[in-house]
Amino acid sequence: MLLNLIKKTFDIREGEFKISFYMLAYIFLVIASLLIIKPTVNALFLSELGVENLPLAFLLVAATAIVSSYAYSRALARFSLKKIIRFTLSVSIILSIALALLLRFHYLNKWALYFFYVWVAIHAVLSASQFWVMANLVYNAREAKRLFGFIGSGAILGGILGGYLTSLLAPLIGNENVIFIAAIFLGICIALLNKIWKARIIKLNTFKQKKRTGVPEVKPITLIKNSKHLTYLAGIVGVSVIVAKLVDYLYSDFASARIPDPDELTSFFAFWFSTFNLLSLLIQLFFTQRVVGIWGVGFSLMLLPLGIFLGAALFFVVPELSVIIFIKAVDGTLKQSIHKSATELLSLPLPFDLKNKTKSFIDVVVDSVATGIAGFILIFAIKGLDLPIYYITSIIIFLVGIWMFFIYKVRKEYFQTFRENLAELANIKIKDTSVVKNVSVVEGMKTVFKSGSESQILFMLQKLQEINDKRFIKEVELLVEHPSVKIKTAAIQSLYFLNSKSMISQIPELLKSEDEDLVAATLAYLLLHAQKNEAIVFDAYLDDENLLVATTALLCLARESRDNYSLRTNYKLTERIAREIAAVKENQADVDRLQILLKTIGAANIASFHDILKEYLLHSSEAVQKTAIYAAGQTLSPEFIPLLVGFLPNKSLRNTALLALQNYGQQIQPTLLDMVKTHEVSIEVARFIPLVFKAFHSQDSVRNLFRLLEDKDLAVRLSAIRALSDLKADFPSLHFNNAKIVSSIYEECKLYHNTLSAMHTQIIVSYRNRKKTKEIVSEAERDARASLLELLERRLDAGLERIFKLLGLKYKQNDITIAYAGLVSEKQEARTNAIEFLDNLLSGELKRKLLPIIESSVVDVTSEEIIHQFKQKILTELECFQLLLEANDQKLKLAVFFLIGKQQDKKFIPLLEKYLEDDNFKIKSFAKEALEELHKIV
C-alpha cells in the first residue's frame, strides 16, 4: 500500500523503484553521516581551539578546495568514476574511524583539529557532487526530470535524521561513538554504490556514460567574465557565502561561549542543523512557489539579505545568542528554499549549455574563494585590529548592501536578456532602456503563452521544461487547442514534464492527428497518467486500428524501455519490433510506417536490429535515408560512426549526418580525429570532419581542430581553419593557442611562397612560349598551362584567405575582417589603407614574413615586370612540378600531370613513374595517361 502511494506520488514507473530507492538511500546515508560528523568536528574545534582560530580554518578550506578541485579533475581524466567514488568513501571511512579513535584516547591535538575541520568541509562538497554526477549516469534526461525530486528528498531527510540523531546520542554515548555510526553509514554507501553500478551504469557503453556526465570546459571563468548576467550571479553567490561565514562565526562564538562542554555543544549544533533543515523543507513545500510566483524574482532574492539585515540591526539592540540563532535560521532556511528557487529562475533566460558549463565553477570555486575572503576579513578585523565582536555585524550590514546592489543589477540584466532572446526569435530590433517594470516573471511568461508568436511560445515552452514550474499548467493546457501543430506538440511535452494531476480532455482528437511527433507526445502524456497501469495504455494502442497510433505507440515503448530492461522484457519489445519489420517488408510502399520503424529501432538500441538500419542507410529515398541516419545516431553505437561520416560529403544529407554524430556527444571527437589521422576515411570525407568538431563549439573542438591544421592535406587544413574562424566569431570566450596560430601562419606563408614561386615559373614559361610557333608549342599545351595558372591563382587567393582567418584567431576578428576586405577591394585607396593598417597591427617575425605576401596580393602577379621586383626565386620547370606534386593537393597534381602529357618532354617520365602505384585512383590514372602520351613520342 505504502509502496504504491510512493510510486503514485513521485511518478515512479515500473522497473524504476529499486534503482531509485538505492539512489535515495545513498544520498540519505551520505548526508546523515555528514550531519553526524560536522557538528562534532565544529564543536570540538571551537571547544579546543576557540572561535578566534575559525578564520584561519576558513582560509585553509578555501585553499584546499581549490587545490583539490584541480587534483580531482586530473583524477577524473585517468580513473573511472566508480573507482574515484569508492576511493573517496574509503578515505572518509578511515578518517572517521581515526577521528573516533583519537577522541577515545584523547590524542586529538591542534593540527589534527585543523585537518579534520578542512576534511569535513571538502567531504561535504565532494560527496554531494559525486552523487549528482552518478545520478546523471543512472538516469536519462526524461527519467531525471521525474525522479530527481524523489531522490533529492533523501538529502533533506538525511540532514534531519543525522542532526537529531547526533543531538540525542552525543550526550549519552559520547562524540566518538556517534562518529562510528557515521562510518557505518558510509560503509553501507560502498555496498549501495556497487549495486547501483551493477544495476544500471555498467550496461551503458562509453559514449552514453560520457555523454551523460558531460565534458567540462577548460575555463568557465571566461564564460562568466563575458556575461554580465553570470558575473552578477557569481557576485550574489560570493557575497552570500561571505555573509554566511561571518554569521557562522558569530553563531559559533556565542554558542561556544555559552556551552563549554564539547558533547553538549555537539548536541546543540546538531539540533539546530536539523531544525533548520526541517524549517527549510516546510517553507519549500508551502510558501516558495507562492512567494516567487506572486512577488517575482527580485523580491524573492531580496528576502534573504533583508532578513539577515533585520537580524543584524536587532543584534545592536539585543546582543544575545537568541538573535544570532534567528540570523542563522534566516540564512539556513531561506537559502535552501525561496532564495534557491528564485536563483534557479534567474538563470532561465541563459542558454542551457552555458548554465551547465558554469554551474560547478560558481558552486565550488566561487564558494571556496568567498570562504577564504571571509577568513581574511575575520583575521583583519578580530586579530589585526582587535575589534569587538559586534563590529562583525557592521561588516555584515555593509556586505548586505553590496548583495542587494548585485540583486538590483542582475534583475535588470535578467529582463534585458529575456527581451533580447524574444526579440531575436521574433526577428525584431529593440531599443535599450534603463527602465525596468516591476512585473513578475511569471506574469510575463503567462502573457507570452496567451498572446505570443509561434516562435516566442515555443521558446518559452522549451524553457519551462528546464524548470518544471507547475504554476503554468493551466496556460499550457490551453495551448493544446492552439492551431499550430508545433505548439500543440510542445505543449503536450511540457505537460508531460510538469506532471499535472488532471488529464486534458483532447486526447482522442490529438490522436487523430496525422503528425507523428504530436501523436508520440500525446501517447507519452497518456503513459504519464497511466502511472502503474502502463499495460492498459500499451495494450490499447499498440494494436490500435489507426496504424499511425499503433506504430507510434511501439516507438514510445522503445523510448520508455531504452534503459528500463524490466519494461522491455514485460512488453516483449524485441518480438514486437520483429513483427513490425516483417510487416514493413511486406508493404514497402508505406514509407511513413518504415520511417517510424527505423526511429523505433534507433530508440530501442537492440543490437540485433542494427543491420536493418544499415540496410536503409543505402535506400533510394532521401527521406528514408535521413530517418535511418537519425536513428543510427540515436543508438550511440560505435559501429555506425564510420557509416555516418560517409554521408558528410552529400550536401542534402550533411545536416542530418551532423546531428546524428553530435548525438554521440563530445566524446566522439577523438574517434573522428583518429579516423582522419590514420586515413580511415577518404579525403572527400575528411574535409567535412571539422564541421562536426565545430558543431560542439567547445574547447575540445578548438583543440582537435588545431591538430587537423597539422594534416598534410590542404583541403582538410582549409576546412579546419574555416571552422576555427567560425568558432572564434560565434564563441569568443573559447581559448585559442597563440603559439599554434603563429606556427600555422608560418606554414601557410611557406605554402603561399611556394605557390607564388611555381606561378612565377609558369608565367615566365608562358611568356617565352608566346614567341614560339604552334609546331613547337601546341594549343593543347598552351591551354593546359593556362588551366594550371588559373588554378594556382585560385590557390593564392585561398591561401590569403587562410592566412587572414588565422590572423583573426590571434587578433580582434573584426579588425582582420576589415583589413581583408580592404585588400580584396577594387579601390586602390582601400588596399593602400589596409596595408598601412596591418603594418601597424602586426609586429616582430610575423610582420616580417606577412607583409611581403600582403603587398604581393595587391599587385598583378601575372606581370613579368612585377615578378622581378619581388626577387622571388625562379624555379626550373622540373623544380616547379616537383614542388607542386609534393603539396597534398589533388587538383594541382592532376593539372600538372595533364600539362606534362601535353608537353611531350621525356625528362618528366621519372616524375610520373613515382605515382603509377598511388593509392588515389584519379592520381594514378592521370599519371598513367600522361606517361602513355610521352611514350608515343618517336
Side-chain angles (χ1 to χ4, degrees), residues 676-734:
V676 176
K677 291 290 187 182
T678 58
H679 305 291
E680 290 181 38
V681 292
S682 65
I683 295 300
E684 288 74 14
V685 172
R687 61 190 291 257
F688 289 100
I689 296 293
L691 293 179
V692 184
F693 293 160
K694 185 181 79 169
F696 291 109
H697 46 77
S698 68
Q699 197 61 51
D700 277 344
S701 303
V702 174
R703 193 178 300 113
N704 289 319
L705 287 169
F706 268 115
R707 288 173 184 167
L708 287 183
L709 293 184
E710 301 167 5
D711 197 89
K712 293 181 179 180
D713 188 82
L714 189 60
V716 174
R717 282 164 55 183
L718 176 59
S719 184
I721 291 171
R722 285 174 176 168
L724 283 168
S725 180
D726 291 341
L727 284 174
K728 180 65 180 290
D730 297 333
F731 304 95
S733 59
L734 293 173

Side-chain angles (χ1 to χ4, degrees), residues 291-303:
V291 172
V292 177
I294 295 172
W295 298 102
V297 175
F299 177 85
S300 302
L301 287 171
M302 284 288 185
L303 283 178

Side-chain angles (χ1 to χ4, degrees), residues 307-328:
I308 294 175
F309 175 82
L310 291 174
L314 182 61
F315 181 81
F316 282 108
V317 182
V318 187
E320 296 291 339
L321 177 60
S322 57
V323 178
I324 300 298
I325 292 175
F326 169 77
I327 299 173
K328 183 70 176 174

Side-chain angles (χ1 to χ4, degrees), residues 31 33 38 123 188 195 209-210 279 332 356 370 385 470 565 584 593 615 620 624 645 655 785 792 817 826-827 844 923:
I31 299 301
S33 66
K38 187 174 181 179
H123 171 64
I188 297 172
K195 285 185 173 294
Q209 288 189 27
K210 291 186 177 180
L279 290 172
N356 275 347
L385 299 179
K470 296 186 179 182
Y565 298 93
V584 168
R593 186 176 185 180
E615 176 186 343
S620 57
V624 173
V645 297
N655 288 336
R785 196 178 305 281
L792 288 171
T817 301
E826 294 181 359
K827 297 179 180 179
I923 291 175

Side-chain angles (χ1 to χ4, degrees), residues 282-297 299-300 303 337-338 341-342 345 440-443 446 469-471:
L282 293 173
I283 292 172
Q284 181 70 14
L285 290 174
F286 300 109
F287 297 100
T288 297
Q289 286 196 357
R290 295 180 184 179
V291 172
V292 177
I294 295 172
W295 298 102
V297 175
F299 177 85
S300 302
L303 283 178
S337 53
I338 294 174
S341 295
L345 201 58
S440 166
V441 64
V442 175
E443 292 304 317
K446 287 181 178 180
D469 197 323
K470 296 186 179 182
R471 288 168 292 175

